[in-house]
């Protein structure tokens, strides 16, 4: 049975992913590890939901801090002037007290959730100040000793750095913020008073404006204890994503800390467009990991709260707040099952407390480094054609490279017969777009790679020097021969090898590019064909970058790209990427997104 030999390998890979989940039962809850770190881990909660047993259990079991999601907002508490309704907030505050949780009161003044009487009223400056004082005093004094932390003012700064044009600004002027904090301190001298906002996490304009605002308050002696960074972020390289750039976040924590302020992450969730996939959840876990780790490493940062207990009740599933109303942005799924992000937070807290880690060092490091990490589970190999020298490739995931297979670099593909092929792009007869079919193999001296490219318009010999080689027609193959297939940076043992169509005109000397590409001693030929070009390349198994000794079942990181230019000016108009983990064309700098190559010994099967 030729495929039998693969079994131990497959079982091993399955175990890696299962072990994460099966340990779950014995793991301590988040709040236990947070206590050991003297840290608050919180969730936004809704009074309507606390009668649902699973909700109550998760909320009280996992978190030592609770934020009323809406119940402490102005429109909820004072729907009519002078007439307060505390029922819902009472239920949450009682729940918190019963379960020994700290409450973050959210929020006294905001531009949203204001009752009609307030929004439509015509108040003089004095009247407005009285309304503000009365609201702050009534609410804070009722909950004195039970709500320990208050977001006194929420979202007062615009993206452009100016103060937002709210009713309070219109009626009272800029001083409304200082006054609100002064009233709050008077009302409950023991409560911690926070200014809270979004998109202020890193070093954006808005973050700088928030810093200036609170620095001014501190200088004027206004009673302010901390800044809340909401941390509503999105996967991908958006402006908000810069928040998860841990350097920016650390710098921001440092400058806020130097003002004598605490910082709390107050409303974290991680949004994305498109489908929820395992990869999305892993990347999400990485974002949670880095934010908590950065916060916990910084003495100024004292809490992290998540904006909702589980995915189904996230505010981002409400149409008015989100384009993707199926989004799953939190750490528990709709069935209260912990997601990778949950284990990520648990691992950060465990390691910081000196308790047993929850994740392997490999996974933890990948999360911390921002690797796009997936435990790649390789499905059982199949052989669709008996003559084929190795099992079928699994698209975007695994390529089985037969060895020993000797290949002559002559532009003739006859010696590649029966080596498994992979195609990218539309390879059908009548397609007029670019496509590529590739294969790989090895013997006892070389690793071989072949690409047959369909391209009606060859563009090469344009870019000199060749540091912009990828802008012309070229094929890239990548190998990670190290023990760490989750490595996020290039090192010895990892190379990107770009082979250019320009070799068509240059048979004497190979024209190549790529990270560590100069040190692997690649030899290549390229020949023009009727509908494009063929590349054949050989890389010694032993060179300055690596020593590869092919063994049956041995796994390397592996990736293939096709770069197709339309003209000298229009480069990479075609970009085909094999590894499914590399959604954003990151292989040139982050080897953790490679797929897998598995060596398959021909004679022993
Ligand atoms: C949101 C709630 O989650 C929603 O249920 C409600 O419809 C609108 O407000 N920033 C904040 C929070 O400070 O108060 C917001 O909460 C989310 C954005």
């Amino acid at each position: 049975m030729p495929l039998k030999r693969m079994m131990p390998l497959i079982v091993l890979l399955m175990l890696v992913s299962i072990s994460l989940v099966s340990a779950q039962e014995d793991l301590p809850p988040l709040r236990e590890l947070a206590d050991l770190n003297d840290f608050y881990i919180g969730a936004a909660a809704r009074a309507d939901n606390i009668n649902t047993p699973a909700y109550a259990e998760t909320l009280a079991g996992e978190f030592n801090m609770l934020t009323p999601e809406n119940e402490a907002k102005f429109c909820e508490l004072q729907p009519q002037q002078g007439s307060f309704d505390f029922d819902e907030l009472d239920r949450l505050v009682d729940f918190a007290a019963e379960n020994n949780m700290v409450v973050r009161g959210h929020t006294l003044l905001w531009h949203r959730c204001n009752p009609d009487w307030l929004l439509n009223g015509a108040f003089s400056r004095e009247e407005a100040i009285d309304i503000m004082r009365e609201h702050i005093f009534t609410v804070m004094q009722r909950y004195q000793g039970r709500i320990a932390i208050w977001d006194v003012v929420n979202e007062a700064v615009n993206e452009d750095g100016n103060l937002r044009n709210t009713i309070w600004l219109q009626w009272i002027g800029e001083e409304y913020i200082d006054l609100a904090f002064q009233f709050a301190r008077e009302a409950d001298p023991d409560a911690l008073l926070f200014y809270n906002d979004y998109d202020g996490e890193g070093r954006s304009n808005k973050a700088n404006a928030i810093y200036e605002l609170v620095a001014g308050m501190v200088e004027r002696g206004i009673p302010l204890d901390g800044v809340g960074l909401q941390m509503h972020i999105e996967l991908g390289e958006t402006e908000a994503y810069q928040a998860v750039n841990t350097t920016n976040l650390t710098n921001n924590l440092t400058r806020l800390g130097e003002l004598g302020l605490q910082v709390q992450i107050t409303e974290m969730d991680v949004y994305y467009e498109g489908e929820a996939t395992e990869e999305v959840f892993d990347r999400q876990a990485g974002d949670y990991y880095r934010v908590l780790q950065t916060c916990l490493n910084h003495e100024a940062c004292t809490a992290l709260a998540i904006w909702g207990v589980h995915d189904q009740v996230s505010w981002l599933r409400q149409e008015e707040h989100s384009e993707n109303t199926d989004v799953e942005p939190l750490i528990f799924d709709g069935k209260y099952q912990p997601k990778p992000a949950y284990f990520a937070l648990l691992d950060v807290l465990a390691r910081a407390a000196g308790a047993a880690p929850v994740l392997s060092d490999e996974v933890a490091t990948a999360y911390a480094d921002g690797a796009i990490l997936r435990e790649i589970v390789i499905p059982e190999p199949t052989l669709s054609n008996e003559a084929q020298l190795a099992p079928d490739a699994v698209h975007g995931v695994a390529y089985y490279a037969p060895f020993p297979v000797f290949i002559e670099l002559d532009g003739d593909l006859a010696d590649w017969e029966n080596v498994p092929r992979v195609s990218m792009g539309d390879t059908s007869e009548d397609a007029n777009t670019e496509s590529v079919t590739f294969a790989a193999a090895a013997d006892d001296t070389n690793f071989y790679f072949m690409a047959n490219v369909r391209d009606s318009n060859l563009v090469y010999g344009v870019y000199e020097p060749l540091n912009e080689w990828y802008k012309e027609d070229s094929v890239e193959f990548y190998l990670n021969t190290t023990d760490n297939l989750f490595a996020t940076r290039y090192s010895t043992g990892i190379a990107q090898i770009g082979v250019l169509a320009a070799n068509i005109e240059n048979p004497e000397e190979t024209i190549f590019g790529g990270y560590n590409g100069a040190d692997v001693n690649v030899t290549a030929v390229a020949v023009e064909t009727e509908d494009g070009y063929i590349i054949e390349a050989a890389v010694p198994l032993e060179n300055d970058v690596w020593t590869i000794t092919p063994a049956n079942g041995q796994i390397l990181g592996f990736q293939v790209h096709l770069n197709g230019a339309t003209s000298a000016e229009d480069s990479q108009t075609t970009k085909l990427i094999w590894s499914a983990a590399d959604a954003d064309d990151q292989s040139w700098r982050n080897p953790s997104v490679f797929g897998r190559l598995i060596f398959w010994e021909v004679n022993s099967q």
Side-chain angles (χ1 to χ4, degrees):
M1 279 288 287
L3 300 181
K4 266 258 167 70
R5 294 177 61 99
M6 289 306 291
M7 286 317 289
L9 168 73
I10 290 152
V11 169
L12 185 89
L13 286 164
M14 301 289 290
L15 281 177
V16 173
S17 43
I18 288 165
S19 64
L20 227 163
V21 180
S22 59
Q24 195 177 314
E25 308 250 302
D26 320 323
L27 294 173
L30 290 170
R31 67 178 293 173
E32 195 178 312
L33 294 174
D35 285 342
L36 292 178
N37 285 295
D38 229 344
F39 188 80
Y40 295 127
I41 190 90
R46 294 182 185 166
D48 283 350
N49 292 337
I50 54 172
N51 289 331
T52 304
Y55 185 96
E57 236 167 72
T58 305
L59 177 61
E62 294 289 344
F63 301 97
N64 59 7
M65 183 172 81
L66 179 157
T67 308
E69 186 170 341
N70 292 303
E71 293 77 353
K73 291 171 181 172
F74 206 121
C75 65
E76 301 291 334
L77 289 181
Q78 201 184 159
Q80 305 299 330
Q81 184 162 15
S83 127
F84 288 80
D85 179 353
F86 293 115
D87 289 355
E88 303 272 272
L89 185 53
D90 280 352
R91 287 168 59 203
L92 283 175
V93 171
D94 289 347
F95 180 92
E98 280 159 25
N99 293 292
N100 196 18
M101 303 165 87
V102 165
V103 181
R104 284 196 98 259
H106 173 81
T107 171
L108 294 164
L109 301 184
W110 191 26
H111 63 286
R112 295 174 51 195
C113 194
N114 288 311
D116 286 345
W117 68 263
L118 188 65
L119 274 181
N120 303 329
F123 301 108
S124 70
R125 185 170 192 274
E126 270 54 54
E127 285 166 338
I129 290 174
D130 281 347
I131 291 169
M132 193 169 97
R133 183 198 287 111
E134 153 96 4
H135 185 80
I136 291 174
F137 268 77
T138 309
V139 174
M140 286 187 73
Q141 291 191 334
R142 177 184 178 88
Y143 294 102
Q144 196 157 10
R146 293 191 292 158
I147 296 187
I149 308 164
W150 274 101
D151 287 334
V152 178
V153 175
N154 193 35
E155 302 180 357
V157 174
N158 275 330
E159 321 305 81
D160 68 7
N162 293 320
L163 283 188
R164 190 189 290 276
N165 189 10
T166 68
I167 47 176
W168 303 110
L169 185 76
Q170 288 163 18
W171 292 330
I172 302 172
E174 287 187 11
E175 207 199 347
Y176 89 87
I177 299 177
D178 287 1
L179 283 173
F181 279 86
Q182 283 162 337
F183 295 152
R185 180 68 93 224
E186 259 183 78
D188 179 359
D190 297 325
L192 289 177
L193 308 182
F194 273 67
Y195 173 77
N196 191 53
D197 214 326
Y198 63 90
D199 284 356
E201 290 80 8
R203 299 299 292 259
S204 63
N205 273 344
K206 180 160 173 180
N208 294 341
I210 292 167
Y211 173 79
E212 294 302 332
L213 173 76
V214 298
M217 291 169 71
V218 169
E219 202 181 301
R220 292 191 294 281
I222 303 302
L224 171 72
D225 299 299
V227 173
L229 305 176
Q230 292 186 5
M231 202 61 77
H232 294 291
I233 59 174
E234 181 173 346
L235 280 184
E237 294 187 306
T238 61
E239 170 68 18
Y241 188 75
Q242 303 304 315
V244 199
N245 173 321
T246 50
T247 309
N248 288 349
L249 183 56
T250 300
N251 289 341
N252 202 26
L253 293 175
T254 299
R255 66 178 173 177
L256 291 167
E258 280 167 2
L259 296 174
L261 299 173
Q262 293 189 33
V263 181
Q264 300 189 339
I265 309 295
T266 54
E267 307 183 11
M268 183 156 181
D269 45 29
V270 183
Y271 179 82
Y272 54 85
E273 300 280 351
E275 296 282 297
T277 60
E278 272 178 48
E279 187 197 330
V280 163
F281 290 150
D282 273 329
R283 292 171 61 194
Q284 210 174 42
D287 282 356
Y288 277 102
Y289 198 97
R290 287 188 298 288
V291 169
L292 179 57
Q293 190 183 46
T294 306
C295 172
L296 211 53
N297 278 345
H298 211 291
E299 57 173 1
C301 197
T302 54
L304 183 147
I306 289 145
W307 206 240
V309 174
H310 63 86
D311 286 332
Q312 290 292 331
V313 295
S314 162
W315 73 304
L316 295 172
R317 295 176 79 95
Q318 296 169 248
E319 233 159 62
E320 69 237 71
H321 303 306
S322 152
E323 306 245 299
N324 180 8
T325 51
D326 294 326
V327 68
E328 299 174 28
L330 298 170
I331 65 169
F332 288 98
D333 71 15
K335 298 194 170 101
Y336 301 94
Q337 292 307 304
K339 296 163 61 188
Y342 171 85
F343 296 105
L345 295 185
L346 205 59
D347 187 67
V348 176
L349 292 169
R351 286 172 192 265
V358 174
L359 302 173
S360 69
D361 288 352
E362 208 174 41
V363 175
T365 309
Y367 282 161
D369 284 353
I372 300 165
L373 171 86
R374 297 174 315 148
E375 297 285 5
I376 294 185
V377 178
I378 300 171
E380 202 163 328
T382 57
L383 196 62
S384 59
N385 160 9
E386 282 296 315
Q388 200 171 271
L389 297 172
D392 303 339
V394 182
H395 201 84
V397 175
Y399 181 84
Y400 292 90
F403 78 98
V405 175
F406 175 72
I407 304 286
E408 204 174 330
L409 304 191
D410 53 7
D412 178 353
L413 298 185
D415 44 9
W416 287 97
E417 211 195 337
N418 296 326
V419 176
R421 305 293 163 99
V422 175
S423 294
M424 299 195 284
D426 185 353
T427 50
S428 60
E429 288 269 304
D430 48 355
N432 54 6
T433 49
E434 292 183 34
S435 62
V436 59
T437 299
F438 69 81
D443 59 15
D444 49 15
T445 37
N446 288 309
F447 178 87
Y448 299 105
F449 178 78
M450 172 282 275
N452 189 351
V453 180
R454 164 119 46 114
D455 181 348
S456 56
N457 164 35
L458 298 189
V459 177
Y460 59 78
V462 181
Y463 289 97
E464 283 302 339
L466 283 175
N467 60 5
E468 292 184 308
W469 56 271
Y470 53 86
K471 293 189 171 177
E472 20 184 289
D473 288 335
S474 50
V475 184
E476 305 171 39
F477 62 103
Y478 302 67
L479 290 177
N480 177 352
T481 68
T482 71
D483 289 342
N484 182 9
L485 298 183
F486 296 119
T488 54
R489 289 179 200 90
Y490 276 80
S491 64
T492 305
I494 311 177
Q496 172 196 34
I497 304 157
V499 181
L500 286 79
N503 287 294
I504 292 169
E505 293 204 335
N506 193 357
E508 276 75 51
E509 202 186 327
T510 299
I511 307 178
F512 60 86
Y515 210 119
N516 282 344
D519 296 320
V520 297
N521 293 328
V522 62
T523 312
V525 301
V527 294
E528 198 165 347
T529 60
E530 259 171 33
D531 61 356
Y533 63 99
I534 284 173
I535 274 170
E536 284 185 291
V539 190
L541 297 178
E542 207 165 338
N543 55 38
D544 287 350
V545 178
W546 57 52
T547 300
I548 307 173
T549 317
N552 197 46
Q554 184 188 348
I555 304 178
L556 310 184
F558 180 57
Q559 168 67 308
V560 177
H561 282 199
L562 174 73
N563 303 311
T566 311
S567 67
E569 292 75 40
D570 292 315
S571 27
Q572 290 196 339
T573 45
T574 298
K575 180 83 189 174
L576 298 177
I577 296 176
W578 174 68
S579 167
D582 186 11
D584 297 323
D585 186 13
Q586 294 296 308
S587 292
W588 62 278
R589 63 173 172 198
N590 182 352
S592 75
V593 301
F594 295 0
R596 303 286 178 259
L597 178 140
I598 304 142
F599 280 120
W600 188 267
E601 192 170 358
V602 177
N603 295 336
S604 68
Q605 307 303 319

